[in-house]
Amino acid sequence: MMDYCLLDSKLKHLIQVCKETKNYKKIAVTGFILISNLLDEIGIKLGIRPHNKLKEEKIFEYMRIINDVFETNLQVKIFSVELLDTIKKCELLFLRSRGDVPFEYLKEILNAYYELRKLEVPNLHEQLKEGNIIETPNLFSFLSPRTKKDSKDPNKLKPLILHKIKQKEISLRETLNYKFNPQLLETAIYLKKVRKGIEENDHRKIVYQGSLKNNINYQQSLEQILGYFTLGAFLFAFLFGFAITIETMLYPLTINTQGIYLLILFGTAALLFIVYWHYFRPV
């Protein structure tokens, strides 16, 4: 584990030196390295692959991926919009200026790092205790004596229990989006599993085993898939049009028959590019 106390003293010393020399690049580089490493720890705990530095994946893009996974599954953001926007703004300026950022931005970078450091996330890889069983009729203490008498028929209780679970999920979602809490995130994932188990299973008991990670869908969101599809269709139309252009240059007599195809292909490519640029590009 990183010794944060020692790290803080080193950062303070580095800031003091950089203030004297007016060279803030070292602080900016150090800040983004610390943020990247911290996000790797967070992502791995949440069951997500590490930040892809080899493919020059931006830090804020990786944060979006984490947010996207949990918004898709639980409608919960791990990182606040304000924090993500701050890191995006600072990172884009850092990349454009090759590390030469104003001192005001350095304060934002370091503040973002310490804000991330406060964020506690559960380790979704940990195994739950074996034999953790929930009996649906006794799931909630709100059940009245009369309702309990009818508990021999699970179908009578099912709508009521599902309604209560959904109410609890909404409450957890609102709380988590207001202030993140690792225990509440575990509870939200747990309730999602219970709800799905009740919806798909008519038995009185739901056996819940394994890790919380198994109950999260890590596939890309529909928006990302549509973005890649749009980009792929643009490239296909453009390259096909380019190939026909080369053919007409080699055989000018074909221009009369190929002209309409060129118009359609390049027109489609332009339209697809505009759609991708405005709706799907990773900025």
Side-chain angles (χ1 to χ4, degrees):
M1 288 294 290
M2 190 178 294
D3 189 341
Y4 286 123
C5 295
L6 181 61
L7 180 61
D8 290 345
S9 64
K10 285 184 176 180
L11 275 176
K12 287 175 184 176
H13 176 69
L14 183 59
I15 290 171
Q16 188 60 39
V17 171
C18 291
K19 273 186 177 180
E20 294 171 1
T21 61
K22 302 296 181 183
N23 180 6
Y24 303 127
K25 188 172 183 177
K26 286 183 180 179
I27 306 177
V29 171
T30 302
F32 278 116
I33 290 173
L34 292 173
I35 288 173
S36 178
N37 291 341
L38 196 53
L39 285 171
D40 279 346
E41 291 180 25
I42 292 171
I44 289 169
K45 281 184 177 180
L46 295 174
I48 297 172
R49 51 108 176 139
H51 175 212
N52 198 333
K53 304 174 186 70
L54 294 177
K55 291 188 177 180
E56 299 183 352
E57 180 180 54
K58 296 179 180 63
I59 288 174
F60 72 87
E61 291 174 343
Y62 181 61
M63 293 174 71
R64 277 182 178 172
I65 289 172
I66 295 175
N67 264 4
D68 185 64
V69 166
F70 286 88
E71 281 187 281
T72 301
N73 284 270
L74 303 168
Q75 297 176 42
V76 168
K77 290 183 176 70
I78 302 297
F79 309 111
S80 68
V81 174
E82 294 78 17
L83 179 60
L84 205 155
D85 286 345
T86 296
I87 291 179
K88 175 185 174 182
K89 176 184 69 175
C90 294
E91 185 177 15
L92 291 177
L93 177 65
F94 175 83
L95 293 172
R96 283 197 301 267
S97 62
R98 297 183 180 181
D100 294 323
V101 297
F103 184 70
E104 292 73 21
Y105 278 80
L106 292 178
K107 290 192 289 186
E108 290 195 61
I109 292 168
L110 294 179
N111 284 337
Y113 164 66
Y114 285 110
E115 194 66 29
L116 278 171
R117 213 175 76 181
K118 293 177 191 174
L119 184 67
E120 295 181 19
V121 297
N123 186 353
L124 302 188
H125 296 273
E126 290 182 355
Q127 297 292 312
L128 293 170
K129 291 181 181 179
E130 193 172 359
N132 189 355
I133 299 173
I134 295 177
E135 293 192 14
T136 55
N138 300 320
L139 184 59
F140 295 101
S141 59
F142 68 85
L143 296 177
S144 65
R146 183 177 177 182
T147 308
K148 289 179 180 178
K149 289 178 183 179
D150 297 329
S151 63
K152 290 182 179 180
D153 185 0
N155 290 326
K156 291 183 179 180
L157 288 176
K158 189 173 180 178
L160 181 60
I161 294 175
L162 285 174
H163 174 68
K164 281 295 181 179
I165 290 178
K166 288 174 183 177
Q167 281 187 323
K168 184 64 177 176
E169 284 182 305
I170 291 170
S171 175
L172 285 171
R173 190 182 307 143
E174 291 174 351
T175 305
L176 282 165
N177 282 323
Y178 177 73
K179 186 177 181 181
F180 186 81
N181 181 294
Q183 285 76 34
L184 291 184
L185 181 67
E186 289 183 346
T187 304
I189 299 171
Y190 185 86
L191 279 180
K192 178 189 174 185
K193 170 64 177 178
V194 172
R195 174 171 53 79
K196 284 196 169 184
I198 294 173
E199 288 172 342
E200 297 169 0
N201 196 338
D202 291 330
H203 299 300
R204 291 169 59 88
K205 291 184 178 181
I206 299 170
V207 179
Y208 187 62
Q209 296 176 333
S211 64
L212 290 170
K213 178 181 178 292
N214 295 336
N215 302 293
I216 295 292
N217 180 10
Y218 291 96
Q219 292 181 352
Q220 291 177 317
S221 68
L222 180 60
E223 182 180 346
Q224 287 177 301
I225 294 170
L226 288 174
Y228 287 125
F229 176 79
T230 303
L231 183 61
F234 155 72
L235 289 172
F236 175 79
F238 179 80
L239 292 174
F240 195 26
F242 183 74
I244 293 177
T245 302
I246 297 297
E247 185 182 5
T248 56
M249 290 174 65
L250 294 173
Y251 306 101
L253 294 177
T254 63
I255 188 64
N256 293 330
T257 56
Q258 305 284 30
I260 186 65
Y261 296 114
L262 287 174
L263 184 63
I264 293 172
L265 287 168
F266 283 123
T268 302
L271 180 62
L272 289 168
F273 181 77
I274 291 170
V275 170
Y276 175 79
W277 188 260
H278 282 283
Y279 296 102
F280 301 111
R281 71 187 174 105
V283 296

